[in-house]
Amino acid sequence: MQCGWSLLGPLQWIRYINKQVMVKAGKDEELRGWLVTVDPVSASLVLVNFQDDAVRGGGASVQVVMGHAVQEVQVLQEADQETTDRLQTSFLPASARPLAPEQRHRRRASVRRWLEQNRVPVQEDGEDLLVAGALTITAPYGPEDCCSSNQIILDRVQRLIQSQPPPADQSERSSCD
C-alpha cells in the first residue's frame, strides 16, 4: 500500500508498471486495472482492463487517473508473461506488432519472391533481406522496414513492396497490415 503517490517519483513508479493495481482516487472512488505507464510530469496513471468476452471482441478499456487525485495505489497481482506481452503490444499499430517466427519466415519469403518476380536482386542475410547490396529490409518486412542511404533505391523498393498483392493466406495478411 502506498500513499503520497505524486511525491514518489519515476524511480518508484516503475515498480508498479505491468502490475494489476487498485487505485483510490477522489473521495470514495476505487479503480482497478493493469498499470501500463505513469506520466512523469503529472503522475497520472494509465490503467488497462482487458475484455476477453466474444461480445466485445477481446478489446481493452483504458482509464487515465489524474495524478493529483491519487490517494493510494495498492498492487493486487503481478503480470504473467502473456499479460505483460499483451500490455506492451496493446497500443502498437498492427504493422508494428511482432510476428510469430513462422509468420516472419512466410513474410520474408513472400517479399523475397515478390522482389525476384520484379527482377530485383535480393538475398537473405540472416533474418534480413539484402537488396542489390544497397538496401536492407528487416522484420516484419514492410515498406517502413527498408533502410538505405540511396534515396532512389529506397523509394523504388518501398513502392514495390507497397504494390505487392495481399497474400492468399489471410492469417499472414492480418499480421502484416
Side-chain angles (χ1 to χ4, degrees), residues 23-80:
V23 179
K24 288 187 180 178
K27 296 198 181 221
D28 294 323
E29 194 172 4
E30 280 189 8
L31 303 164
R32 295 172 188 258
W34 295 96
L35 183 61
V36 177
T37 191
V38 179
D39 176 55
V41 175
S42 67
S44 298
L45 296 89
V46 178
L47 301 176
V48 171
N49 285 298
F50 296 113
Q51 300 161 341
D52 291 326
D53 61 349
V55 174
R56 294 187 178 116
S61 66
V62 178
Q63 292 178 301
V64 177
V65 183
M66 301 305 290
H68 68 273
V70 175
Q71 295 174 351
E72 184 180 328
V73 178
Q74 181 179 7
V75 174
L76 301 175
Q77 178 181 350
E78 299 277 334
D80 58 12

Side-chain angles (χ1 to χ4, degrees), residues 10-164:
L11 293 176
Q12 298 296 321
W13 295 332
I14 201 164
R15 296 179 184 168
Y16 292 84
I17 302 295
N18 294 335
K19 294 186 171 86
Q20 189 177 39
V21 296
M22 187 272 302
V23 179
K24 288 187 180 178
K27 296 198 181 221
D28 294 323
E29 194 172 4
E30 280 189 8
L31 303 164
R32 295 172 188 258
W34 295 96
L35 183 61
V36 177
T37 191
V38 179
D39 176 55
V41 175
S42 67
S44 298
L45 296 89
V46 178
L47 301 176
V48 171
N49 285 298
F50 296 113
Q51 300 161 341
D52 291 326
D53 61 349
V55 174
R56 294 187 178 116
S61 66
V62 178
Q63 292 178 301
V64 177
V65 183
M66 301 305 290
H68 68 273
V70 175
Q71 295 174 351
E72 184 180 328
V73 178
Q74 181 179 7
V75 174
L76 301 175
Q77 178 181 350
E78 299 277 334
D80 58 12
Q81 188 60 46
E82 180 183 344
T83 303
T84 300
D85 292 344
R86 194 169 177 190
L87 287 167
Q88 291 174 352
T89 60
S90 289
F91 299 102
L92 294 176
S95 62
R97 292 186 182 143
L99 297 176
E102 64 277 353
Q103 290 174 314
R104 190 173 53 243
H105 177 72
R106 280 196 310 265
R107 177 71 180 148
R108 182 177 60 237
S110 172
V111 169
R112 181 178 180 165
R113 276 191 306 278
W114 178 246
L115 293 172
E116 289 171 342
Q117 286 173 3
N118 286 277
R119 308 219 188 285
V120 176
V122 61
Q123 63 188 44
E124 291 189 21
D125 183 23
E127 289 288 311
D128 299 338
L129 293 175
L130 185 59
V131 178
L135 180 138
T136 303
I137 309 172
T138 58
Y141 311 103
E144 64 280 352
D145 303 311
C146 297
C147 181
S148 177
S149 59
N150 185 322
Q151 190 62 42
I152 294 169
I153 292 174
L154 178 64
D155 181 57
R156 288 183 181 171
V157 171
Q158 285 178 321
R159 283 190 287 132
L160 186 57
I161 292 173
Q162 284 174 332
S163 71
Q164 182 178 9

